[in-house]
Amino acid sequence: MGGFLQIQSYVQILWQFIDPTQKNFYNGAVEAALTLFGAISCLVAGFISSEKFEKFDLWILTVCSFVEGVFIIISSVTDQVWVAYVMYVLFGIIYMFMITLASATVAKNLLEDSFALIFGINTLLALIIQTILTVVVVSESGLKLSPRNQFLVFGGYFIFLSVIFLVGSFVKLVKQRK
């Protein structure tokens, strides 16, 4: 969630950086498309049984995080704002699909009176991660990277997450075999 919030907060700066001469930006339309297609991906996620997701949860998170990282890196290196628009929408669709499945799985295993605590802690941790990314990558006191380099770092962040999920997948696999 922290990475998604970071991307969402700074993507329009990247779009302006990619093509500063473009008179008509379609940022609002892109955000609307993300909302629409993200909602559809959430509906699709609702049709996946939680048992199937629990069986392959870390593998799905590994692949999705890696693909999200690739989309962000493509956005950072492209010279076409339309490519960056499409990569952002695809990134957001995958994120919304993943977060819906993960949240449903977590909620299924919680007591009803602890939902707010768990999801509140999750949001707090996401905001802490976003703050750290902002201080280190964006701010004057940090690295103060260009928008393209910021998004390279953000893409690397998602690929790093995919490696963590991959390690978790193998650990889970070894535990299941024992």
Side-chain angles (χ1 to χ4, degrees), residues 7 11 28 59 75 106 137:
I7 298 298
V11 72
W59 295 105
S75 290
V106 168
V137 177

Side-chain angles (χ1 to χ4, degrees), residues 10 13-14 17-18 76-77 136-139 142-154:
Y10 290 96
I13 296 169
L14 175 68
F17 190 83
I18 289 172
S76 73
V77 297
V136 171
V137 177
V138 180
S139 75
L143 298 173
K144 195 180 179 205
L145 298 174
S146 71
R148 286 188 187 274
N149 289 332
Q150 290 173 22
F151 275 73
L152 279 174
V153 170
F154 301 154

Side-chain angles (χ1 to χ4, degrees), residues 72-132:
I72 296 305
I73 289 171
I74 290 171
S75 290
S76 73
V77 297
T78 187
D79 290 326
Q80 301 294 319
V81 73
W82 288 100
V83 172
Y85 284 159
V86 170
M87 293 297 105
Y88 174 68
V89 170
L90 292 174
F91 163 81
I93 289 169
I94 291 173
Y95 169 78
M96 290 180 191
F97 177 80
M98 265 186 0
I99 199 71
T100 301
L101 285 174
S103 295
T105 301
V106 168
K108 183 180 125 183
N109 296 310
L110 291 178
L111 297 173
E112 191 172 317
D113 61 346
S114 62
F115 283 5
L117 175 67
I118 299 301
F119 289 110
I121 290 171
N122 184 46
T123 302
L124 174 66
L125 292 174
L127 292 173
I128 290 170
I129 289 170
Q130 182 187 13
T131 301
I132 291 168

Side-chain angles (χ1 to χ4, degrees), residues 44-65 94-109 165 169 172 176:
V44 170
F47 289 107
I48 296 175
S49 72
S50 60
E51 291 79 26
K52 281 185 183 177
F53 179 71
E54 285 180 25
K55 185 175 181 180
F56 300 107
D57 57 353
L58 292 174
W59 295 105
I60 293 169
L61 293 173
T62 298
V63 170
C64 288
S65 294
I94 291 173
Y95 169 78
M96 290 180 191
F97 177 80
M98 265 186 0
I99 199 71
T100 301
L101 285 174
S103 295
T105 301
V106 168
K108 183 180 125 183
N109 296 310
F165 290 135
S169 300
K172 183 178 177 181
Q176 287 175 346

